[in-house]
Amino acid sequence: MPSLSISLLGALLGLGLVTAAVGQSDAKAPLTRSERCANLSHQFDEALETHATATQVTAAKALQRKGNRYCAAKKQAQGIRMLANALKLLGVAPNDPVQ
């Protein structure tokens, strides 16, 4: 009988440790492509304020408009590329999410 209670106690303790480990997970969910589009577009707007004198501003704005259209048309991969290229024309590195 004592061995049954000891094994039951061990099983409960193991179960408690597993649930505690799962509950403490701080992993963030990766960004969706739509969120990435929105983040890059916002970054471009901020960069435009500080880099308004860049030589490629007109081309960068055109790429931003094109990127926003792609993102709105559910073609986020193309939109993300366009927005990243627009930022590069302004001399700004696109913010990459931590994977």
Side-chain angles (χ1 to χ4, degrees), residues 9-62:
L9 181 62
L12 289 175
L13 180 62
L15 183 61
L17 290 174
V18 167
T19 58
V22 170
Q24 293 177 354
S25 175
D26 288 335
K28 293 182 180 179
L31 290 177
T32 64
R33 287 183 179 175
S34 296
E35 292 170 333
R36 182 92 171 105
C37 280
N39 289 348
L40 287 174
S41 185
H42 180 70
Q43 184 186 2
F44 182 86
D45 291 336
E46 290 177 348
L48 194 57
E49 293 174 8
T50 58
H51 294 80
T53 59
T55 58
Q56 301 287 331
V57 171
T58 305
K61 285 181 180 180

Side-chain angles (χ1 to χ4, degrees), residues 67 70-71 74-83:
Y70 275 127
C71 288
K74 305 291 185 199
K75 296 180 180 179
Q76 290 92 355
Q78 292 93 332
I80 290 168
R81 280 194 297 273
M82 292 290 166
L83 291 167

